Amino acid sequence: MRDHPLEVGEDATTFFQPRAMVFVTMLWVLTLGWLACGVLVLLVAYLVGVRPTVDDLILALESLLIGPAVASGAIILIAWRRLGWLKSSVRGIEFGATGRRGVHLPWRAVASVGLRRWGPFTELVITPTAPGEVTELPGPGRRPRILRRDAGSAYLVDVGLMSPGPETLLAELHRRIPSRV
């Protein structure tokens, strides 16, 4: 996260994704996917006439216990300093989706904000009034996530795992721009 220094009297609220929460969420999602794939492989093997032995079932269980944990750990290490964040201050809103460069948008340039999806997959949709008002912050990462739609482009930030949660984030945005949220 590329913060600007706070000035005396400036009120700012920062939202971030705790690494432990992201790890645990990835772990259970990968575990469910791993389990579904393992059951499918065993079912296909059974249907083509290969009878799984006790050793095959033990190997599948070991794989289910080790594989998702290693994959989740590797992913969190790769994304260690690039998880999603959002900062609301008197200067405007700054945000960055996981693995993406940050964006700054002054409050006058925010046309609307809203949430879509639910649970850990909740996304904040930020629609600017004009593309020229958006400032892409320097730093590593890919271009910001953009949702193209008929009404214009909007920026996406994954907020489902942010601390404080999406409801608190939306309340903060209501406090800053009540007429457009």
Side-chain angles (χ1 to χ4, degrees):
M1 176 168 51
R2 302 289 182 250
D3 284 344
H4 59 70
L6 291 177
E7 294 179 3
V8 177
E10 181 179 10
D11 73 0
T13 306
T14 301
F15 298 84
F16 63 96
Q17 292 179 326
R19 292 178 182 109
M21 197 177 225
V22 173
F23 173 78
V24 169
T25 302
M26 281 191 305
L27 182 62
W28 69 260
V29 168
L30 287 173
T31 300
L32 288 176
W34 204 283
L35 177 64
C37 290
V39 168
L40 185 64
V41 165
L42 289 175
L43 183 63
V44 168
Y46 184 77
L47 291 175
V48 296
V50 177
R51 303 288 182 242
T53 65
V54 173
D55 289 341
D56 294 333
L57 296 176
I58 290 173
L59 182 62
L61 181 62
E62 289 173 346
S63 170
L64 181 64
L65 293 173
I66 295 170
V70 169
S72 296
I75 292 169
I76 201 71
L77 285 174
I78 290 169
W80 189 257
R81 297 176 88 33
R82 295 173 42 170
L83 295 176
W85 57 275
L86 184 137
K87 182 177 179 181
S88 167
S89 71
V90 294
R91 296 176 186 223
I93 184 171
E94 291 181 359
F95 54 88
T98 302
R100 307 293 180 133
R101 283 193 295 271
V103 171
H104 173 78
L105 196 57
W107 291 117
R108 70 179 183 287
V110 177
S112 67
V113 296
L115 296 174
R116 73 178 199 168
R117 301 204 176 111
W118 55 274
F121 307 108
T122 304
E123 295 177 326
L124 179 67
V125 181
I126 304 165
T127 306
T129 55
E133 294 284 343
V134 177
T135 304
E136 196 171 308
L137 301 175
R142 296 177 291 167
R143 294 187 49 88
R145 289 180 59 201
I146 298 177
L147 174 64
R148 310 248 187 246
R149 40 188 194 177
D150 294 338
S153 296
Y155 290 86
L156 295 175
V157 183
D158 37 337
V159 297
L161 297 176
M162 282 197 179
S163 178
E167 294 80 19
T168 306
L169 182 132
L170 205 52
E172 166 67 11
L173 296 178
H174 274 286
R175 184 174 79 84
R176 299 283 186 181
I177 49 169
S179 64
R180 292 177 285 195
V181 178

